[in-house]
Amino acid sequence: MAGVRERGSRTQRPWSVYRATTFELSDEMIGLALAGNSQDPDEPVLEFSVVCTDLVTPALDRKPNSFVAVSCTTPPQAFWTKHAQTEVIEGTSNPIFLSSVAFFQESNINQQTQVKLAVYDVKDRSQGTMYLLGSALFPVKEILQEKSHRLQLELRSAENVRVGNITVTAWQMEDRADQRMSLNRLPDGINGRTVLTVDESLTESMGVRIKFASLCKDTLLRSVFGGTMSRMYRFPTTDGKHLRVLEQMAESVLSVNIPRQFVKLLLEEDAARVCELEELGELSPCWENLRRQIVSQYQTIILAYQETLSDLSDYRGPSFKASNLKAERKLEFMPTNLHVQRMRVQDELGFEHTYDVITIGAPAAHCQGFKNSGLRKLIHKFEEAKKHVYEEGCSALSSSQSIVFIPQDIVRAKEIIAHINTLKTQVSYYAERLSRAAKDRSASGLERTLAILADKTRQLVTVCDCKLLASAIQALNAARPEYIASKASPSADSEQVVLRNDQDTLLAKWSGRNSRSSLHVDWHEEEWEKVWVNVDKSLECIIQRVDKLLQKERRPSDASQDSTQSDQQGGGIKKGNRGKRRAFWINPGNMSEESLSSSSSSPLPPSSSPPPPPSSSSLPALSSTHPEHDSYGSPGAEEAYPGEWSEALYPLLTTLTECVAMMSDKAKKSMVFLLMQDTAPTIAMDLSLQYRRDVVFCQTLTALICGFIIKLRNCLRDNGFLRQLYTIGLLAQYESLLSTYGEELSMLEDMSVGIMDLRNVTFKVTQATGSSAPDMLPIITGNRDGFNVRIPLPGTMFDALPREIQSGMLLRVQPVHFNVGINEQQTLAEKFGDTSLQEIINLESLSRLNSYYEQFKEVLPEDCLPRSRSQTCLPELLRFLGQNVHARKNKNVDVLWQAAEICRRLNGVRFTSCKSAKDRTAMSVTLEQCLILQHEHGMAPQVFTQALDCMRSIGTREGVIQKNLSGLLPVRDFRLDPSLMYSLPLLALSPNLLVVWIFLSVAYFLAKLRCS
């Protein structure tokens, strides 16, 4: 394996890893070195670490608290631009900084670029007082030409007095031999760290798998994420080596894109609900008033969705919502501070490990407030109100026309509507495919499609064969204004299906006073049964006809003889009146009769020619049990057009689809009427609750889609994960740090419901239609009963997926949610309040997590899971988690750490949130990163605290604070006044300092306003 890597390095290794064989490098080679690594776009073109020695302060009895600010300028630019800064190291004259300074490809540096290193002494960290200790300059060309790629520079104060030394060591410039030199030849370490050079295999091992996972350059990820920030660190390990850590954070364009799609779907769903109510037809006055009230409520909520969709479509701001916009009405469907936090670790052998966490402000309906509590309590109140209405309905049943349905019937009604919509569409689709197969004379296609059509039709008949539908139809008929009149005097013009044998082609036509939109016949349960039996019988006729066609196809001699006879008959028909026409009537009121007279007149389809006098022959009804008679399976049509399969099947398929349409429409209307009765008493509360739930779910769904995309991309060639994905689904673990006190308690209620609603979400991976960024964006379909998210992948990535996922298998999600409050409000809750909600949430999620692992053990091998250096096996981790969840321990953060590790070990996606995804989230994410570095990669324990402080003070989470304060990107990306640039980053050193600074600024502004 090593030999393969060595041979491949000759062509894949970037110029930046070669050491110059002479003391001078040509400008061409320096240019190549600064051009970057084409294999890994995240590889910096130049990275160096700094070490200060012998720092001197004016007060000789005090050692400095120092940090280095790095600025650069490239001619002809005439001013300095802040690029980066190190962490603050306190109380030493010889600080060694863990954070390295990295220039990436977008930095556009060249050999003429000048780098300025300014060392600051922080006198009082809480107040932010500091002064410039000294500075030094060097050109980029100088460090590249230096044989050891190491510069020792003097630090000079503003008075040109020497105040110490600074050593700059460039990484990725040493060859393997120099890297293996003895540790005693290197500078002595401080704070447990030794500056080591890097193994050139860091870039040799950057294969295709890593190259395609860049947040900045990957075809898929760059279409979803943007505004990437990067920080570099070098951490020593317990065995004297080092880790190269790249920390990145990016926003997502899905913060706006997904809410737009989601609100549009909600708008369409509610508009369709109004249409369904309108299509119920004429109702008696009391029911009509009830319908008007419901429609009015829906129109109000539709107007709100329309305004939201318009606001989201007009939005042109950044692709994240700052925390001060949480309660902004126009943006309430957008998640707060949605970012992806990534840590990439390369060890001494060049192995790459990537850890991603999605950070998001707690999904909650901030705009609607929390005065009336959150979703959990609101849902409970709504269910109590429904229960009260049901009890009142049962007591008043004797004096009411309506039928009272139990809650289980309501759930069943929604399922029936969904099944009818799906199966009706599928029956029409496969009927069309059967017609196409007949036209192509494909025997195999005919048999295969017929089998599917028969299965779907029988499923539909099974759905409609239930007593709930029959009783709902009775209730709908009883709500008609002419109900009593129709019972006393049945209308002669009742609705019916007319089947006419016109020009040897069976056509179906609805007749009746009000077409199919309303029925005015008093159907009883047995009469409804005959409607779906009609569908079943028409299917049997199609099966018989196909069987006869296929039998004739297998007997060519008989078929040719029949063809000659039929041609003669056909010619006579064309020259004459095309034979006598036969009429079949399907009248629900007369289905029990043996035959139907065809002498009654009926309107013809628009395409029909003027009809001859109707036949006086009596024909059996469709429900006749004798297929050999001249009904659907009549051999007359066979003899008329032998071999013309499509014309032989067309009338039967038309009959089937029309009968299915009649049955489906009637069933759907009855179910809509049933749901109307159920929702009417609590419609205002129902829609208000649903709106809040939609807001919370949209925020949660957006984060989930981001997590799914980045996890799928990272594990595209991990066969174990892909097998787990399509077998038992994706584990999504949400970690929240909300207290159970005050408003955050209601936020926790909202968030827990939004996460549990993710169980109705499925994913489907498709091949992208193009290569542009819009072609890679996910597409949402479905409704509140279930949403499906289609994830387009470029062709090369899609081809790498297993066949099961390529074929369109729906991928499920198993969400779990663990919460532990950690702030001072949680202290109040634990002493004076109630923490039961947190305990319930954690217990529920523990149960689901155990269930997910049990499913995994049943169907998948252990080698599907990623490897870990931990000595604790998964069952033990789950047992420890269970103990901590059941333990009544205040602020038990062990629950969060163990749940996070179990999620990573089970190939899950991690989500972390607090109220705004700023301070508490930053603390959690950085702590998790340092724990991973120590437990999984052997980071030296003595630098744990320093590494944690380093990530928290100058890491990428600093950018979230800056963006929320000013709405701008970090100051290093802007050319501002130097004094401002040097002071602002210090505000991120401490959350307390930040709060004090904001408070004083506001107080100063108000005082100035009052004076003026």
Side-chain angles (χ1 to χ4, degrees):
M1 194 68 184
V4 174
R5 186 171 67 236
E6 184 66 27
R7 288 193 298 271
S9 67
R10 296 302 177 189
T11 57
Q12 297 180 1
R13 191 188 310 169
W15 280 102
S16 58
V17 302
Y18 285 101
R19 190 188 68 175
T21 55
T22 62
F23 287 92
E24 296 293 331
L25 286 177
S26 67
D27 292 344
E28 180 182 2
M29 289 188 67
I30 293 177
L32 287 172
L34 297 176
N37 184 356
S38 61
Q39 288 186 8
D40 185 10
D42 292 335
E43 178 99 2
V45 296
L46 176 63
E47 180 192 1
F48 60 82
S49 294
V50 291
V51 177
C52 294
T53 55
D54 303 328
L55 294 180
V56 179
T57 60
L60 299 179
D61 58 339
R62 175 181 168 276
K63 292 185 178 180
N65 304 324
S66 56
F67 73 92
V68 180
V70 182
S71 305
C72 62
T73 181
T74 302
Q77 181 177 303
F79 52 87
W80 295 96
T81 301
K82 174 71 180 294
H83 179 74
Q85 75 174 53
T86 66
E87 71 276 19
V88 176
I89 297 182
E90 298 181 345
T92 176
S93 298
N94 303 289
I96 297 178
F97 300 97
L98 295 182
S99 59
S100 59
V101 179
F103 291 87
F104 296 90
Q105 296 179 23
E106 61 270 17
S107 302
N108 295 323
I109 64 170
N110 56 41
Q111 55 185 317
Q112 282 80 34
T113 299
Q114 295 281 331
V115 179
K116 178 181 180 181
L117 308 175
V119 180
Y120 283 81
D121 179 17
V122 182
K123 282 190 173 182
D124 191 338
R125 201 166 179 176
S126 62
Q127 297 183 5
T129 56
M130 61 181 177
Y131 69 96
L132 177 64
L133 199 61
S135 61
L137 300 174
F138 71 90
V140 170
K141 183 177 182 179
E142 183 177 346
I143 196 170
L144 294 178
Q145 287 182 335
E146 181 67 28
K147 181 178 180 180
S148 61
H149 303 296
R150 185 173 302 165
L151 298 178
Q152 292 186 349
L153 308 172
E154 282 190 351
L155 289 171
R156 293 281 175 174
S157 65
E159 295 79 17
N160 200 27
V161 176
R162 180 182 174 279
V163 292
N165 298 319
I166 187 167
T167 302
V168 182
T169 304
W171 296 95
Q172 299 182 354
M173 298 298 174
E174 304 287 348
D175 62 11
R176 188 181 300 270
D178 289 341
Q179 189 273 333
R180 295 298 182 188
M181 63 184 175
S182 174
L183 294 180
N184 56 21
R185 293 178 53 190
L186 298 174
D188 293 335
I190 297 181
N191 305 318
R193 178 182 184 270
T194 303
V195 178
L196 296 175
T197 52
V198 70
D199 188 347
E200 61 188 20
S201 64
L202 284 174
T203 51
E204 291 175 12
S205 63
M206 304 289 284
V208 175
R209 177 179 60 85
I210 300 304
K211 180 179 68 171
F212 290 147
S214 167
L215 283 175
C216 306
K217 302 296 182 180
D218 181 72
T219 306
L220 176 64
L221 296 185
R222 72 182 178 186
S223 66
V224 177
F225 301 102
T228 305
M229 299 172 53
S230 301
R231 297 287 190 270
M232 296 289 298
Y233 311 96
R234 297 282 175 163
F235 296 135
T237 60
T238 53
D239 56 359
K241 299 179 181 178
H242 73 272
L243 300 170
R244 190 185 79 159
V245 179
L246 171 63
E247 186 186 29
Q248 292 182 307
M249 185 184 68
E251 308 164 3
S252 176
V253 298
L254 300 185
S255 293
V256 183
N257 179 271
I258 295 300
R260 285 174 184 164
Q261 295 187 57
F262 183 75
V263 174
K264 187 177 180 181
L265 288 176
L266 298 180
L267 189 59
E268 293 172 354
E269 181 181 353
D270 288 345
R273 193 73 51 83
V274 172
C275 290
E276 289 173 351
L277 290 170
E278 297 288 358
E279 290 174 355
L280 285 178
E282 192 177 359
L283 300 175
S284 60
C286 63
W287 288 111
E288 183 63 29
N289 291 336
L290 202 62
R291 176 167 61 177
R292 289 297 103 203
Q293 294 175 16
I294 296 175
V295 169
S296 176
Q297 294 286 345
Y298 269 111
Q299 287 173 342
T300 302
I301 210 77
I302 286 173
L303 185 61
Y305 286 132
Q306 288 174 339
E307 292 177 358
T308 301
L309 184 60
S310 176
D311 293 334
L312 289 172
S313 300
D314 296 338
Y315 179 75
R316 296 295 181 270
S319 57
F320 76 99
K321 184 173 76 173
S323 59
N324 61 342
L325 299 176
K326 287 195 300 287
E328 180 65 34
R329 178 74 172 80
K330 297 179 179 180
L331 306 178
E332 62 180 335
F333 281 84
M334 289 177 58
T336 303
N337 277 328
L338 177 63
H339 292 85
V340 57
Q341 180 80 18
R342 165 170 286 191
M343 181 176 71
R344 286 179 54 180
V345 186
Q346 283 185 347
D347 57 22
E348 200 69 21
L349 299 177
F351 292 110
E352 177 83 15
H353 305 271
T354 302
Y355 303 92
D356 292 318
V357 179
I358 306 297
T359 61
I360 177 180
H366 296 276
C367 183
Q368 300 176 41
F370 306 100
K371 185 177 181 181
N372 297 320
S373 69
L375 273 175
R376 275 189 175 246
K377 288 184 180 177
L378 290 175
I379 291 173
H380 178 70
K381 291 178 183 177
F382 176 72
E383 290 173 348
E384 289 294 320
K386 295 283 290 184
K387 184 179 178 181
H388 180 67
V389 169
Y390 171 69
E391 291 172 350
E392 285 186 345
C394 290
S395 62
L397 179 60
S398 57
S399 60
S400 174
Q401 267 190 4
S402 63
I403 299 176
V404 177
F405 297 95
I406 61 175
Q408 290 83 350
D409 290 340
I410 307 305
V411 176
R412 177 63 181 152
K414 294 179 180 179
E415 294 175 353
I416 288 175
I417 291 177
H419 290 157
I420 288 175
N421 289 335
T422 302
L423 292 171
K424 178 185 175 183
T425 304
Q426 291 176 344
V427 167
S428 300
Y429 170 74
Y430 286 108
E432 177 63 28
R433 282 189 57 178
L434 189 67
S435 178
R436 217 176 304 138
K439 186 177 181 180
D440 297 338
R441 293 188 63 87
S442 171
S444 60
L446 207 63
E447 289 180 324
R448 188 168 54 250
T449 308
L450 178 62
I452 302 176
L453 175 64
D455 178 59
K456 298 299 180 183
T457 306
R458 284 165 182 155
Q459 287 183 37
L460 181 60
V461 170
T462 302
V463 169
C464 293
D465 179 17
C466 65
K467 292 185 178 180
L468 178 62
L469 260 176
S471 59
I473 289 173
Q474 292 181 38
L476 177 58
N477 287 329
R480 302 294 184 193
E482 65 278 10
Y483 170 71
I484 298 178
S486 65
K487 251 183 112 61
S489 175
S491 171
D493 193 19
S494 60
E495 186 157 355
Q496 52 204 352
V497 178
V498 182
L499 302 181
R500 293 189 176 277
N501 189 349
D502 185 26
Q503 302 176 9
D504 291 321
T505 302
L506 290 176
L507 297 175
K509 179 69 178 177
W510 288 85
S511 69
R513 197 167 47 219
N514 292 318
S515 73
R516 85 171 64 177
S517 63
S518 62
L519 297 177
H520 306 297
V521 184
D522 182 22
W523 285 4
H524 300 291
E525 184 174 345
E526 60 273 9
E527 293 170 335
W528 164 244
E529 179 181 346
K530 293 174 182 177
V531 174
W532 55 259
V533 167
N534 246 4
V535 176
D536 197 36
K537 291 297 181 181
S538 59
L539 174 65
E540 292 300 325
C541 292
I542 293 175
I543 294 174
Q544 292 172 14
R545 177 60 60 89
V546 170
D547 287 343
K548 290 183 180 180
L549 291 174
L550 293 177
Q551 288 173 8
K552 291 190 69 173
E553 182 72 8
R554 298 185 185 104
R555 294 179 300 180
S557 58
D558 296 343
S560 61
Q561 182 179 355
D562 293 340
S563 176
T564 306
Q565 298 174 359
S566 184
D567 286 342
Q568 294 172 357
Q569 295 175 2
I573 291 172
K574 292 176 183 177
K575 292 178 182 178
N577 289 332
R578 300 177 183 263
K580 290 186 178 182
R581 180 181 52 178
R582 296 169 181 169
F584 296 80
W585 300 79
I586 302 177
N587 190 329
N590 299 319
M591 286 296 290
S592 59
E593 298 179 6
E594 280 297 321
S595 62
L596 295 167
S597 174
S598 60
S599 58
S600 302
S601 62
S602 174
L604 288 173
S607 59
S608 301
S609 57
S615 170
S616 60
S617 61
S618 296
L619 297 167
L622 180 62
S623 58
S624 171
T625 58
H626 305 287
E628 64 272 9
H629 291 175
D630 281 344
S631 60
Y632 287 115
S634 171
E638 286 183 29
E639 296 170 357
Y641 289 97
E644 292 294 333
W645 290 6
S646 58
E647 292 193 20
L649 288 177
Y650 173 75
L652 303 180
L653 291 173
T654 303
T655 302
L656 175 66
T657 53
E658 289 292 341
C659 290
V660 165
M662 179 177 69
M663 179 183 68
S664 302
D665 290 353
K666 186 64 181 177
K668 185 177 177 182
K669 286 177 182 177
S670 65
M671 291 294 98
V672 170
F673 183 71
L674 187 154
L675 294 177
M676 186 185 83
Q677 295 178 63
D678 176 69
T679 58
T682 56
I683 183 64
M685 184 187 298
D686 187 7
L687 292 183
S688 174
L689 177 63
Q690 187 61 64
Y691 187 86
R692 186 184 190 100
R693 199 164 185 169
D694 291 339
V695 170
V696 175
F697 178 73
C698 183
Q699 299 175 22
T700 316
L701 176 65
T702 306
L704 175 67
I705 295 174
C706 288
F708 182 90
I709 290 175
I710 201 165
K711 183 67 177 180
L712 179 65
R713 181 62 192 89
N714 289 343
C715 302
L716 199 61
R717 301 186 185 280
D718 185 346
N719 295 327
F721 166 77
L722 296 174
R723 182 180 173 188
Q724 177 183 347
L725 179 63
Y726 68 75
T727 304
I728 61 174
L730 178 70
L731 177 65
Q733 188 249 326
Y734 285 79
E735 167 190 302
S736 59
L737 306 165
L738 297 171
S739 67
T740 55
Y741 185 85
E743 286 190 349
E744 289 195 11
L745 176 62
S746 300
M747 295 179 200
L748 183 59
E749 290 184 21
D750 281 1
M751 183 177 181
S752 63
V753 173
I755 292 172
M756 290 305 102
D757 285 345
L758 294 178
R759 290 177 292 184
N760 297 326
V761 177
T762 56
F763 287 87
K764 182 179 180 180
V765 183
T766 61
Q767 187 168 353
T769 56
S771 57
S772 61
D775 297 325
M776 305 293 174
L777 294 177
I779 301 171
I780 309 176
T781 57
N783 52 42
R784 293 182 180 95
D785 294 326
F787 289 95
N788 178 256
V789 184
R790 295 204 306 269
I791 307 295
L793 291 185
T796 53
M797 298 183 190
F798 186 77
D799 293 340
L801 294 172
R803 185 172 58 255
E804 289 83 357
I805 297 180
Q806 287 184 357
S807 63
M809 179 180 287
L810 296 182
L811 310 174
R812 296 170 294 161
V813 176
Q814 178 60 269
V816 294
H817 176 205
F818 291 92
N819 181 84
V820 174
I822 60 172
N823 61 358
E824 62 280 359
Q825 287 187 337
Q826 184 63 23
T827 304
L828 294 175
E830 290 167 349
K831 289 185 177 180
F832 311 108
D834 182 17
T835 61
S836 59
L837 176 61
Q838 175 176 287
E839 295 167 4
I840 292 171
I841 290 173
N842 292 344
L843 285 170
E844 291 174 348
S845 295
L846 174 65
S847 174
R848 281 190 292 271
L849 191 58
N850 279 316
S851 174
Y852 182 85
Y853 181 61
E854 291 300 322
Q855 291 180 48
F856 177 90
K857 289 194 301 182
E858 288 177 5
V859 296
L860 293 169
E862 289 290 334
D863 57 6
C864 286
L865 299 178
R867 295 182 179 180
S868 172
R869 290 180 58 176
S870 173
Q871 300 298 317
T872 309
C873 61
L874 265 172
E876 282 294 298
L877 273 175
L878 285 166
R879 186 173 65 83
F880 293 153
L881 177 62
Q883 292 174 354
N884 281 300
V885 167
H886 287 92
R888 291 188 172 273
K889 180 181 176 183
N890 294 342
K891 297 184 181 180
N892 191 359
V893 292
D894 289 342
V895 170
L896 302 181
W897 297 342
Q898 290 167 357
E901 184 175 357
I902 292 170
C903 175
R904 288 192 300 270
R905 299 270 290 272
L906 283 174
N907 276 323
V909 182
R910 290 263 299 113
F911 302 84
T912 299
S913 68
C914 61
K915 181 178 180 179
S916 302
K918 291 188 300 184
D919 297 334
R920 280 174 281 178
T921 298
M923 292 171 63
S924 174
V925 168
T926 51
L927 178 60
E928 180 181 353
Q929 289 178 170
C930 288
L931 287 171
I932 290 173
L933 291 173
Q934 181 173 342
H935 296 160
E936 298 291 340
H937 302 284
M939 184 179 72
Q942 57 267 33
V943 299
F944 183 91
T945 303
Q946 185 184 352
L948 183 60
D949 181 66
C950 179
M951 287 184 172
R952 288 180 174 176
S953 61
I954 63 160
T956 55
R957 300 307 300 182
E958 162 208 2
V960 177
I961 296 175
Q962 294 183 20
K963 287 193 290 186
N964 279 268
L965 284 176
S966 61
L968 301 175
L969 289 174
V971 292
R972 67 183 183 88
D973 295 331
F974 290 86
R975 296 171 180 175
L976 305 176
D977 180 73
S979 62
L980 178 63
M981 287 190 292
Y982 285 124
S983 61
L984 274 181
L986 194 60
L987 295 175
L989 295 178
S990 167
N992 295 331
L993 174 61
L994 186 60
V995 172
V996 170
W997 181 81
I998 295 173
F999 177 81
L1000 292 177
S1001 300
V1002 172
Y1004 173 78
F1005 178 77
L1006 292 176
K1008 190 175 180 181
L1009 240 132
R1010 181 175 295 180
C1011 292
S1012 61

